Amino acid sequence: TQNISEYKKAEQKLKENFDMVRIAGEKVKLGGWNVILNENRSYWSDEVAAIHEMPAGYSPLVEDGINFYAPEWHDRITEVFSRCAKEGIPYDEEMEKITATGKQVWVRTMGEAIRDEKGNIFKVQGAFQDITTRKQIEIELKNSKARYKAIFESTGTATLIVDEDTTIFLANNECLNITGYAPA
């Protein structure tokens, strides 16, 4: 007979930690992956598979994983992944992917090399995060700024924007023309 109560407590704690990481990953759309280089195969967490709209447990060949990237990103991901796998140079990039159903998503992709006891790189591991919502907000903000600037410049009236200390924050072209000041 052997008392396994400590083992059961540790097992329960491990399960609780796994559940917390799983929930956090689902909420922020973040998952992990790794590539065993001599297998040329990617192993994806369930969240990474979900980002790609693939079933849990999906493990593509490296080339098949790269093919999820939008065509304009193939060269970049191939370059950074290869440098990581060959030279150990980590990467942290934002790129666009096309899911299994054809949906375009932006991801933050990160990778780092793992070395064996002799210092040889045998694995690359990292994370994916779906940042599509953030990218959409950035685009909307950029468009909003452009519309604001167009309105600000087209008023036909000299206009200044000043802060609380009456420091000029922005002046339109009409104001610059009247005052003779340069934008700086």
Side-chain angles (χ1 to χ4, degrees):
T1 304
Q2 185 177 9
N3 183 349
I4 61 169
S5 58
E6 289 301 315
Y7 171 78
K8 287 295 187 180
K9 285 180 188 175
E11 185 178 58
Q12 180 60 30
K13 185 67 175 169
L14 186 60
K15 183 186 178 318
E16 289 172 6
N17 286 341
F18 176 80
D19 286 343
M20 286 188 287
V21 169
R22 180 188 51 78
I23 291 167
E26 288 173 2
K27 297 302 177 196
V28 297
K29 297 181 180 180
L30 175 70
W33 57 271
N34 69 50
V35 173
I36 309 295
L37 295 174
N38 68 2
E39 294 178 16
N40 194 40
R41 183 165 298 280
S42 301
Y43 294 94
W44 291 355
S45 70
D46 291 349
E47 191 56 41
V48 170
I51 290 169
H52 290 82
E53 297 183 313
M54 294 300 291
Y58 181 69
S59 290
L61 293 173
V62 171
E63 296 79 21
D64 294 333
I66 287 173
N67 285 333
F68 278 99
Y69 286 89
E72 63 269 23
W73 293 104
H74 283 194
D75 289 345
R76 181 67 183 157
I77 190 58
T78 300
E79 175 191 341
V80 297
F81 181 82
S82 295
R83 285 177 43 207
C84 187
K86 292 175 184 168
E87 302 169 40
I89 299 170
Y91 63 90
D92 186 341
E93 302 276 336
E94 294 180 359
M95 300 179 186
E96 199 168 11
K97 289 192 150 224
I98 300 171
T99 70
T101 65
K103 186 171 101 180
Q104 292 184 293
V105 296
W106 278 92
V107 295
R108 179 178 178 199
T109 179
M110 299 151 275
E112 64 182 23
I114 304 298
R115 298 177 185 271
D116 63 18
E117 61 280 346
K118 294 179 183 175
N120 299 314
I121 299 169
F122 73 98
K123 177 167 69 171
V124 175
Q125 67 184 18
F128 280 119
Q129 183 175 22
D130 182 337
I131 59 168
T132 304
T133 302
R134 191 194 88 211
K135 283 293 195 179
Q136 289 169 338
I137 290 169
E138 287 174 0
I139 290 167
E140 288 173 17
L141 181 59
K142 182 179 175 183
N143 292 340
S144 177
K145 285 180 178 179
R147 284 190 303 274
Y148 169 77
K149 183 173 173 123
I151 292 168
F152 185 71
E153 289 297 339
S154 67
T155 62
T157 304
T159 306
L160 293 172
I161 297 176
V162 297
D163 65 14
E164 298 82 28
D165 299 326
T166 66
T167 301
I168 298 172
F169 180 69
L170 189 61
N172 67 1
N173 285 332
E174 186 68 27
C175 184
L176 297 175
N177 290 339
I178 291 171
T179 64
Y181 290 126

